[in-house]
């Protein structure tokens, strides 16, 4: 392995990271130039490419290995000796993103995200007395290792809590008490694993902690039943809820920092037969606002969507079940439309992300501030663009229609299965057909699919059934991608999610059919003639591109 002197010598002669990535075909020259132009001055190129999703961590680590001549190491099953961690303090490891691996004579091997961080290497050399040998590891690997070996184990916290075994107020607010550290550890573990929700499920004889990762719930750990009141009380204190009330549901928010990142949690409690169930939705504010072009829109769908939201008036609805990414698409659209010369006002329940330059109103039905009441007041605020969190009833629907007819752009969400079902839903609510056709510009149906893990994906021939289903939709699929399972994706074969869309634009033929009261089948025929890309088609196109699998597509989109 190279000595630090050797590494310094190689720095002068080494190739640039961007050039190696282009040479190996991981990114194109255009992507490289665009990233270099748009990234902040102090951001490293590797981090900027990761943020844009152009490369994976493993690809970055392997490229750095070629570039720097420093080997990389996979920490997933690395045989650490527990005493090694006493050499490097936890805060130093967290701040510089590094972990010690092993010692050999006078050398200490250290896994680092940035092996060229000479200041950290020199600090370590002085504090430990060892010559430091850096090796490269991915950021995810290092963060997981720090959480696993530096944080106290759950067992230690239990023993300490058992010893105290009291549920007094001090124990729940004192930052050094075991129950407080236990809850913090659950939050940290969820953020490291990129979970979207934390479920604290009371069972008859134990308390189950579950994380929702990429849309799927996973059991994280079991806790003894007697921990339930203390954990629930601690979460309620953090969310400013009433800890004495166990019989009615409560909602609250927690704003906190996990590993120096601001995290917002939406907390909801629900009384069940075995005690209160708590669900926390994690809103990671550091990567909240997606760009419209990064949401997975097919090129044709993106053009249609952009055209509809930039019209001077009319309604654009986004439909789909809970957790299908509707809010992210709405926020990305608002972000795109947010300019100095327009007044954007939203009415939401709850306000998830706070956006700069946009006036956001929180629904509060206790004081009569409903969607309908909020929307009515907004229209007196001289808005150009109005966003309504959700159309739940005929009153909100009718005000939204009126707003669009008086020259406003209205964006909102609605819970329906697909784009055509949205039209029938509005009619069922009691909105007159002529009002629907006069105001509605487009409906976007959306679902989220898990992406095949880019680090362990392998190409396979498509099965006969896959070929047959795709051929019926006019798509030819010969090869498909599947993930074998690796440390990056926690052995699931999937990592991250991508949206599929169906953008239904209302043209004159469609409007006439709605006014005549034609059947859903008729409306679907018109949509097909207009070359609408349905959810299933968009899903299969993403299978053809190797982004996802047919199993994922059939999980969320129905076959005709």
């Amino acid at each position: 392995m190279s000595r630090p002197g050797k590494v310094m010598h190689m720095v002068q002669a080494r190739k640039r990271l961007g050039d190696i990535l282009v040479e190996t075909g991981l990114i194109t020259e255009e992507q490289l130039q665009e990233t270099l132009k748009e990234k902040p001055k102090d951001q490293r190129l590797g981090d900027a490419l990761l943020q844009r999703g152009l490369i994976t961590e493993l690809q970055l680590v392997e490229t750095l290995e070629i570039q720097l001549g420093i080997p990389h190491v996979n920490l997933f099953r690395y045989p650490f000796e527990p005493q090694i961690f006493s050499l490097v303090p936890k805060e130093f490891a967290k701040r510089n993103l590094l972990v010690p691996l092993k010692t050999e004579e006078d050398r200490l091997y250290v896994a680092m995200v940035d092996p060229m961080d000479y200041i950290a290497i020199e600090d370590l050399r002085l504090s430990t007395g060892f010559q430091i040998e850096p090796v490269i590891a991915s950021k995810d690997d290092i963060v997981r290792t720090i959480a696993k070996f530096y944080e106290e184990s759950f067992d230690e916290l239990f023993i300490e809590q058992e010893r105290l075994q009291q549920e007094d107020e001090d124990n729940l607010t004192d930052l050094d008490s075991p129950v407080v550290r236990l809850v913090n550890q659950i939050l940290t573990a969820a953020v490291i694993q990129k979970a979207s929700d934390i479920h604290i499920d009371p069972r008859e004889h134990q308390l189950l902690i579950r994380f929702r990762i990429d849309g799927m719930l996973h059991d994280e750990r079991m806790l003894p039943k007697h921990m339930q009141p203390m954990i629930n009380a601690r979460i309620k204190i953090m969310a400013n809820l009433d800890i004495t009330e166990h019989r009615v549901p409560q909602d609250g928010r927690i704003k906190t920092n996990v590993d120096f990142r601001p995290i917002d949690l939406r907390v909801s409690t629900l009384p069940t037969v075995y005690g209160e169930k708590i669900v926390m939705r994690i809103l990671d504010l550091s990567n909240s606002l997606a760009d419209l072009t990064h949401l997975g829109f097919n090129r044709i769908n993106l053009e249609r969507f952009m055209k509809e939201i930039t019209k001077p008036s009319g309604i654009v609805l986004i439909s789909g079940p809970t957790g299908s990414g509707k809010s992210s698409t709405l926020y990305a659209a608002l972000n795109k439309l947010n300019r100095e010369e327009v007044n954007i006002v939203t009415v939401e329940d709850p306000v998830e992300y706070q956006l700069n330059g946009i006036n956001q109103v929180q629904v509060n039905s206790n004081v009569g501030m409903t969607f309908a009441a909020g929307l009515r007041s907004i229209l007196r605020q001289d808005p150009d663009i109005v966003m309504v969190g959700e159309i739940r009833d005929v009153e909100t629907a009718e005000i939204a229609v009126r707003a669009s007819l008086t020259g406003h752009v209205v964006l909102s969400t609605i819970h329906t299965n697909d784009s055509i079902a949205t039209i029938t839903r509005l009619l069922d609510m009691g909105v007159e057909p002529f009002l629907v056709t006069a105001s509605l510009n487009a409906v976007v149906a959306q679902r989220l699919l898990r992406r095949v893990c880019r680090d362990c994906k392998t190409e396979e021939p498509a099965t006969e059934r896959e070929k047959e289903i795709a051929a019926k939709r006019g798509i030819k699929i010969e090869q498909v991608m599947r993930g074998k399972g690796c440390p990056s994706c926690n052995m699931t074969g999937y990592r991250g999610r991508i949206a599929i869309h169906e953008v239904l634009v209302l043209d004159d033929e469609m409007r006439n059919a709605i006014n005549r009261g034609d059947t859903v089948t008729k409306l679907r025929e018109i949509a097909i003639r207009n070359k609408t890309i349905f959810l299933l088609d968009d899903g299969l196109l993403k299978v053809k591109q190797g982004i996802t699998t047919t199993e994922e597509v059939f999980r969320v989109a129905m076959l005709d």
Side-chain angles (χ1 to χ4, degrees):
M1 242 179 244
S2 343
R3 302 289 283 230
K6 249 192 197 163
V7 174
M8 288 296 280
H9 173 68
M10 289 191 65
V11 173
Q12 279 85 40
R14 73 169 195 257
K15 272 191 168 181
R16 290 184 309 181
L17 175 71
D19 296 338
I20 300 175
L21 287 166
V22 172
E23 272 171 35
T24 48
L26 289 171
I27 57 171
T28 64
E29 184 64 39
E30 292 79 47
Q31 287 171 328
L32 172 64
Q33 294 310 326
E34 196 180 312
T35 307
L36 286 169
K37 196 168 78 208
E38 290 177 12
K39 78 178 182 68
K41 282 245 182 323
D42 56 349
Q43 190 181 30
R44 295 205 299 263
L45 174 63
D47 291 342
L49 291 167
L50 279 176
Q51 201 179 335
R52 285 176 157 66
L54 295 173
I55 56 172
T56 70
E57 279 221 79
L58 187 64
Q59 288 166 342
L60 175 64
V61 166
E62 286 172 350
T63 310
L64 284 170
E65 179 177 28
I66 299 168
Q67 185 200 19
L68 306 174
I70 299 175
H72 92 267
V73 63
N74 184 345
L75 305 179
F76 187 60
R77 289 207 174 92
Y78 192 85
F80 287 104
E81 290 170 4
Q83 66 272 22
I84 192 82
F85 294 98
S86 60
L87 289 173
V88 180
K90 173 177 155 185
E91 284 313 311
F92 187 84
K94 271 187 164 176
R95 194 170 61 248
N96 295 295
L97 288 173
L98 51 84
V99 288
L101 294 174
K102 60 176 180 180
T103 55
E104 264 178 24
E105 296 163 5
D106 66 337
R107 288 177 296 171
L108 170 66
Y109 289 91
V110 180
M112 307 177 71
V113 169
D114 179 9
M116 308 309 284
D117 184 347
Y118 295 118
I119 296 168
I121 291 175
E122 189 58 17
D123 284 354
L124 261 189
R125 189 180 68 77
L126 292 171
S127 64
T128 61
F130 284 98
Q131 280 297 333
I132 306 300
E133 290 284 3
V135 296
I136 311 172
S138 73
K139 185 177 175 183
D140 269 6
D141 255 5
I142 286 181
V143 169
R144 269 196 214 122
T145 306
I146 291 173
K148 187 173 173 186
F149 290 98
Y150 276 109
E151 306 290 356
E152 299 152 288
S153 74
F154 264 65
D155 303 342
E156 288 167 27
L157 288 170
F158 281 152
I159 295 162
E160 200 176 328
Q161 182 61 50
E162 305 280 88
R163 226 179 38 243
L164 292 170
Q165 215 17 286
Q166 74 239 38
E167 192 195 327
D168 59 18
E169 200 70 30
D170 299 340
N171 191 18
L172 294 171
T173 51
D174 173 13
L175 294 181
D176 285 331
S177 79
V179 69
V180 170
R181 301 204 309 265
L182 197 65
V183 170
N184 289 349
Q185 229 186 67
I186 292 171
L187 296 183
T188 307
V191 170
I192 286 171
Q193 293 184 44
K194 298 189 169 58
S196 59
D197 302 82
I198 302 169
H199 287 238
I200 296 178
D201 282 354
R203 299 288 157 90
E204 191 172 2
H205 301 299
Q206 62 251 41
L207 186 67
L208 178 62
I209 311 288
R210 299 197 289 170
F211 292 166
R212 190 179 290 282
I213 302 167
D214 289 342
M216 297 291 182
L217 272 172
H218 300 275
D219 289 0
E220 176 63 14
R221 47 177 60 98
M222 290 280 192
L223 303 183
K225 184 72 174 171
H226 64 250
M227 298 289 292
Q228 188 177 319
M230 287 172 287
I231 284 179
N232 285 2
R234 170 60 191 158
I235 292 168
K236 284 182 173 181
I237 284 172
M238 289 173 82
N240 286 327
L241 300 177
D242 181 354
I243 64 169
T244 59
E245 181 55 82
H246 306 288
R247 297 157 305 168
V248 294
Q250 298 185 66
D251 288 305
R253 276 193 108 122
I254 298 173
K255 266 188 179 347
T256 183
N257 278 333
V258 172
D259 284 343
F260 316 112
R261 274 160 58 191
I263 299 289
D264 220 347
L265 297 154
R266 259 180 28 213
V267 181
S268 158
T269 74
L270 182 73
T272 72
V273 287
Y274 295 127
E276 281 179 293
K277 173 177 165 70
I278 295 183
V279 175
M280 293 184 272
R281 161 68 55 91
I282 302 173
L283 304 169
D284 186 345
L285 302 179
S286 59
N287 58 8
S288 57
L289 273 181
D291 183 336
L292 261 182
T293 52
H294 295 166
L295 291 177
F297 269 105
N298 167 311
R299 189 177 50 80
I300 297 165
N301 278 343
L302 182 61
E303 279 169 19
R304 288 177 184 168
F305 183 58
M306 287 300 301
K307 186 179 166 195
E308 296 309 318
I309 61 173
T310 47
K311 282 185 175 172
S313 67
I315 300 177
V316 175
L317 291 179
I318 300 180
S319 82
T322 311
S324 57
K326 300 188 297 292
S327 303
S328 301
T329 305
L330 267 186
Y331 281 126
L334 286 179
N335 218 26
K336 185 82 182 162
L337 299 170
N338 189 7
R339 298 188 311 279
E340 185 191 338
E341 61 272 20
V342 293
N343 175 22
I344 301 179
V345 191
T346 76
V347 52
E348 306 170 57
D349 180 22
V351 173
E352 286 192 25
Y353 297 114
Q354 274 132 19
L355 305 179
N356 268 338
I358 290 178
N359 310 289
Q360 294 171 280
V361 178
Q362 169 78 49
V363 165
N364 183 352
S365 42
N366 298 339
V367 293
M369 180 62 171
T370 59
F371 274 126
L375 190 47
R376 245 188 231 107
S377 327
I378 282 176
L379 295 178
R380 295 195 280 275
Q381 291 276 318
D382 178 33
D384 299 293
I385 297 166
V386 178
M387 192 267 260
V388 189
E390 191 184 334
I391 292 184
R392 292 180 187 168
D393 51 49
V394 65
E395 193 183 2
T396 314
E398 283 177 343
I399 303 165
V401 166
R402 272 213 303 283
S404 75
L405 294 176
T406 50
H408 301 92
V409 174
V410 181
L411 302 177
S412 188
T413 69
I414 191 164
H415 281 265
T416 56
N417 278 336
D418 59 27
S419 53
I420 293 172
T422 304
I423 295 167
T424 50
R425 177 78 206 280
L426 289 171
L427 299 173
D428 290 346
M429 272 183 178
V431 183
E432 294 291 344
F434 68 89
L435 287 176
V436 171
T437 53
S439 60
L440 192 61
N441 287 352
V443 182
V444 180
Q446 177 170 323
R447 296 287 187 284
L448 288 177
L449 304 180
R450 291 183 295 168
R451 281 172 175 270
V452 174
C453 171
R454 286 154 68 183
D455 291 332
C456 64
K457 65 180 182 185
T458 51
E459 204 171 44
E460 292 178 6
T463 64
E464 286 310 313
R465 178 165 159 70
E466 284 170 335
K467 287 181 187 171
E468 190 186 317
I469 291 167
K472 269 190 194 158
R473 319 286 304 187
I475 299 166
K476 190 178 177 198
I477 295 181
E478 291 297 334
Q479 300 288 332
V480 293
M481 287 290 186
R482 283 200 170 73
K484 295 199 301 281
C486 67
S488 298
C489 60
N490 246 336
M491 297 300 168
T492 58
Y494 294 101
R495 184 160 189 206
R497 289 191 290 176
I498 190 162
I500 56 170
H501 303 90
E502 175 175 302
V503 179
L504 179 75
V505 178
L506 273 71
D507 65 346
D508 291 341
E509 189 184 358
M510 181 77 79
R511 290 193 165 96
N512 292 337
I514 295 168
N515 285 334
R516 282 197 306 270
D518 280 357
T519 60
V520 170
T521 316
K522 266 283 175 33
L523 297 181
R524 194 175 176 82
E525 282 168 13
I526 298 169
I528 291 168
R529 278 205 294 280
N530 291 344
K531 296 194 166 48
T532 302
I533 298 169
F534 292 101
L535 283 171
L536 189 58
D537 304 326
D538 196 20
L540 289 172
L541 286 169
K542 287 186 167 66
V543 171
K544 189 182 167 84
Q545 292 166 317
I547 297 171
T548 188
T549 61
T550 43
E551 290 86 353
E552 278 297 291
V553 176
F554 299 148
R555 189 170 61 78
V556 300
M558 289 178 289
L559 287 170
D560 300 341

